[in-house]
Amino acid sequence: MPVITAPYAFNESRLYVDLEPIFGRRLYLKCEGFNFAGSIKLKAANEMVESAEREGVLRPDSILIESSSGNLGVALSMIAASKGYRFLCVTDSRCNLSTRLLMEALGSEVHVVADLDANGGFLGKRIDYVRALCASDDRYVWLSQYTNEGNWRAHFRTTGPEIAEHFPELDVLFIGAGTTGTLMGCARYFREWNREVRIVAVDSVGSVAFGGPPGRRMIPGLGMSMRPPLLDESFVDEVVRVEEADTIRTCHRLARRGFLFGGSTGTVVSGAMDWLARHGSRDLTTVAIAPDLGERYLDTIYQINWLQDLYGDDILETEGITPPSAAAESVTRTPHRPSS
């Protein structure tokens, strides 16, 4: 029985769900939501805060500040509360209400940005607000998850080795793309692994992370309205883009079998199932990463009025009857593999 004194000291990341009984295709889902922050973002938050402390950037009077659509903000709120730092999370109107309330319950301040940037998202405006505050007061310390190499190093040290330990014969790994910290950390780890592993990035339609036109995205977590500074596409073998309607249907299909996952997980599973359907890969060992659980999405993707207002009355018409739509588009890449 583990006994801890700090909330960030506990993180159960050895749990996998076999999705074949639900979707009819062989896929193991790595669950990253079983910690006090409720998501995979605890790993990156820990790494970035500890690095800032080691480097002397964080002082007792420092005020942590970060731009986040939700999960990293919760992780930093928890760590800041435990370590005695003040924390300000700059988010936007897509952030789930329960997530904002949770950060405030942990003692953090939350600023909600309402204006769109040039790409039709909120990220540019959020970052502008963070930069302005940092310029006005040197007590603010911006960890910058978008450029901080601790973001990917956390997953190079933890998530990648955890998967390799349980699946030494891994063939394909599906990873959602937001800041691309998880993607880059795992991809770099498996580039050095003793067998070739195909890395498939899963992105949301409307995200510009891998190019393409920007579009409306209402589900926080995955996708970016700018190219992620951490992204190195030479480590990515393929990109699958998923429509939000398919994300929602996948989440509800999982929920009908008792597994309540968040929107990022629904996107990753939907993209993975589309890829598996097109490749007929019964003999492959495949894993997908589930970044969080679903309780924070009860007022959005699990709320029928919210769904119908944004996506129409028939959004769940085929839920539980057909697999995720093949409308998810795929982009195959033959990356240049740099010499080590």
Side-chain angles (χ1 to χ4, degrees):
M1 179 181 69
V3 177
I4 63 173
T5 57
Y8 50 85
F10 172 77
N11 191 2
E12 175 54 70
S13 55
R14 297 169 296 174
L15 178 66
Y16 294 80
V17 177
D18 181 356
L19 294 182
E20 188 169 11
I22 301 176
F23 293 96
R25 303 194 183 278
R26 187 180 179 191
L27 179 69
Y28 298 101
L29 187 64
K30 187 181 195 299
C31 301
E32 290 279 354
F34 293 100
N35 56 61
F36 285 101
S39 82
I40 196 171
K41 289 293 189 178
L42 175 61
K43 292 176 173 178
N46 260 333
E47 181 76 21
M48 292 189 294
V49 169
E50 289 177 359
S51 294
E53 289 176 330
R54 287 193 301 268
E55 295 165 5
V57 175
L58 276 173
R59 305 183 303 270
D61 65 338
S62 294
I63 306 171
L64 278 169
I65 186 169
E66 187 55 83
S67 160
S68 170
S69 62
N71 282 337
L72 183 72
V74 172
L76 287 173
S77 293
M78 186 191 75
I79 293 171
S82 178
K83 290 176 174 283
Y85 296 117
R86 290 174 58 189
F87 173 55
L88 169 62
C89 181
V90 181
T91 188
D92 59 65
S93 55
R94 294 176 307 165
C95 180
N96 299 320
L97 175 61
S98 57
T99 301
R100 299 202 300 267
L101 294 175
L102 179 54
M103 288 188 280
E104 290 171 349
L106 290 166
S108 298
E109 298 177 63
V110 180
H111 177 81
V112 180
V113 170
D115 296 331
L116 295 174
D117 59 26
N119 284 325
F122 296 96
L123 182 55
K125 294 294 185 180
R126 284 174 11 202
I127 291 176
D128 287 346
Y129 186 84
V130 171
R131 286 175 172 156
L133 277 183
C134 290
S136 70
D137 190 333
D138 62 7
R139 290 178 302 167
Y140 283 106
V141 174
W142 181 24
L143 298 175
S144 184
Q145 62 167 322
Y146 311 107
T147 59
N148 192 321
E149 293 198 351
N151 191 345
W152 68 260
R153 280 199 305 266
H155 302 287
F156 183 88
R157 292 194 309 100
T158 61
T159 312
E162 289 161 2
I163 296 170
E165 177 185 1
H166 289 278
F167 297 94
E169 301 301 316
L170 179 67
D171 294 300
V172 187
L173 179 60
F174 299 95
I175 311 170
T179 65
T180 68
T182 307
L183 175 64
M184 288 293 96
C186 290
R188 281 185 166 91
Y189 178 83
F190 283 106
R191 179 65 59 84
E192 301 176 5
W193 187 235
N194 58 16
R195 60 179 280 123
E196 184 176 349
V197 174
R198 188 167 187 82
I199 301 296
V200 179
V202 183
D203 198 11
S204 301
V205 170
S207 165
V208 303
F210 295 91
R216 184 188 77 163
R217 291 180 295 112
M218 300 304 298
I219 301 173
L222 298 187
M224 292 276 280
S225 56
M226 69 177 188
R227 179 180 173 82
L230 295 176
L231 176 61
D232 182 343
E233 291 189 60
S234 70
F235 288 93
V236 179
D237 297 301
E238 190 170 349
V239 179
V240 175
R241 294 185 176 92
V242 176
E243 295 279 2
E244 285 193 333
D246 289 331
T247 292
I248 291 162
R249 293 186 186 107
T250 301
C251 285
H252 281 260
R253 187 166 180 177
L254 286 163
R256 293 300 181 268
R257 298 295 293 269
F259 294 106
L260 193 71
F261 284 106
S264 298
T265 299
T267 301
V268 173
V269 172
S270 180
M273 289 301 164
D274 174 75
W275 190 96
L276 292 170
R278 289 183 288 103
H279 287 77
S281 46
R282 291 289 304 173
D283 297 328
L284 294 178
T285 298
T286 63
V287 172
I289 298 176
D292 60 4
L293 301 177
E295 289 89 344
R296 294 173 193 169
Y297 300 81
L298 293 177
D299 57 346
T300 54
I301 62 177
Y302 294 107
Q303 215 286 329
I304 191 63
N305 291 334
W306 187 87
L307 293 177
Q308 290 177 340
D309 287 346
L310 290 174
Y311 304 98
D313 293 341
D314 61 347
I315 179 63
L316 297 178
E317 194 172 83
T318 59
E319 197 286 311
I321 300 173
T322 59
S325 168
E329 57 179 297
S330 175
V331 179
T332 302
R333 302 183 182 274
T334 305
H336 167 69
R337 297 193 181 278
S339 59
S340 56

